[in-house]
């Protein structure tokens, strides 16, 4: 038979256990409820998104405005990666804004930097697409390609036949 003292101890144990479980549950659930925002999509074509992970920051001119929610290969275009981002509610995403992949430091991790935009431009509705633009890495690849082209043209100009022609002149 259970005594009154045992019933009291059991009651105290249950109350403490419920309070602890509720507190732990609240610690994990409340931040999820507070992270309100609107979903947008960015389509990076022909660009490696290596270094961008779920939860990576989305920034506007260095200010954190959201985070990456998902990354997936576009089923209609295998040369395209679609990144789903959540941007805080109230931030005006404009049609003339561009998203670039930017290094977060020397670790190789990247975040998405949104830049540009004017007040006169139309606003992109939640669920819409943000234009992807070239980041520093892609611009550097273009510069290297152009330098390679110039060096090849100079080599063609200075080949043996042309040097002999110049000597004869």
């Amino acid at each position: 038979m259970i005594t009154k003292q045992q019933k009291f101890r059991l009651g105290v144990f249950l109350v403490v256990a419920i309070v602890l479980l509720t507190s732990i549950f609240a610690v994990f659930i409340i931040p999820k409820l507070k992270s309100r925002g609107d979903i947008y999509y960015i389509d990076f074509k022909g660009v490696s998104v290596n270094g961008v992970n779920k939860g990576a920051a989305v920034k506007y001119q260095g200010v954190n405005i959201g985070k990456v929610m998902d990354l997936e290969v576009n089923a209609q275009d295998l040369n395209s990666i679609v990144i789903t981002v959540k941007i805080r509610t109230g931030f005006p995403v404009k049609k003339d804004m561009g998203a670039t992949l930017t290094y977060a430091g020397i670790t190789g991790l990247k975040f998405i930097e949104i830049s540009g935009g004017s007040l006169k431009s139309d606003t992109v509705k939640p669920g819409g697409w943000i234009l992807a633009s070239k980041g520093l890495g892609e611009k550097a690849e273009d510069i290297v390609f152009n330098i390679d082209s110039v060096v090849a043209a100079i080599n063609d100009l200075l080949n043996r036949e042309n040097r002999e022609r110049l000597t004869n002149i």
Side-chain angles (χ1 to χ4, degrees), residues 29-164:
I29 297 300
I30 288 175
K32 295 288 184 188
L33 296 175
K34 283 186 177 180
S35 66
R36 295 188 188 120
D38 299 320
I39 299 294
Y40 294 91
Y41 302 97
I42 307 169
D43 188 8
F44 287 99
K45 292 184 184 216
V47 176
S48 173
V49 296
N50 187 30
V52 178
N53 299 316
K54 287 183 182 181
V58 176
K59 297 183 178 187
Y60 179 76
Q61 297 183 356
V63 177
N64 199 354
I65 60 167
K67 64 181 178 176
V68 173
M69 301 303 291
D70 194 22
L71 300 96
E72 59 187 25
V73 176
N74 188 346
Q76 283 74 38
D77 181 6
L78 295 179
N79 194 32
S80 167
I81 306 295
V82 176
I83 297 181
T84 305
V85 296
K86 182 185 275 188
I87 295 178
R88 73 173 182 228
T89 303
F91 181 82
V93 177
K94 300 292 187 172
K95 288 187 177 181
D96 58 349
M97 288 182 170
T100 59
L101 299 174
T102 306
Y103 285 99
I106 61 171
T107 61
L109 294 177
K110 294 179 183 177
F111 64 92
I112 296 176
E113 178 77 28
I114 296 178
S115 58
S118 63
L119 292 175
K120 295 177 184 177
S121 178
D122 292 334
T123 303
V124 177
K125 294 189 188 303
W129 293 81
I130 300 172
L131 295 175
S133 56
K134 288 187 175 184
L136 184 59
E138 294 83 36
K139 289 177 184 175
E141 289 174 6
D142 290 346
I143 291 169
V144 169
F145 177 75
N146 289 337
I147 290 172
D148 286 344
S149 300
V150 169
V151 169
I154 290 173
N155 283 337
D156 285 343
L157 184 64
L158 297 176
N159 67 20
R160 173 167 261 157
E161 289 178 17
N162 288 339
R163 284 186 298 194
E164 288 175 5

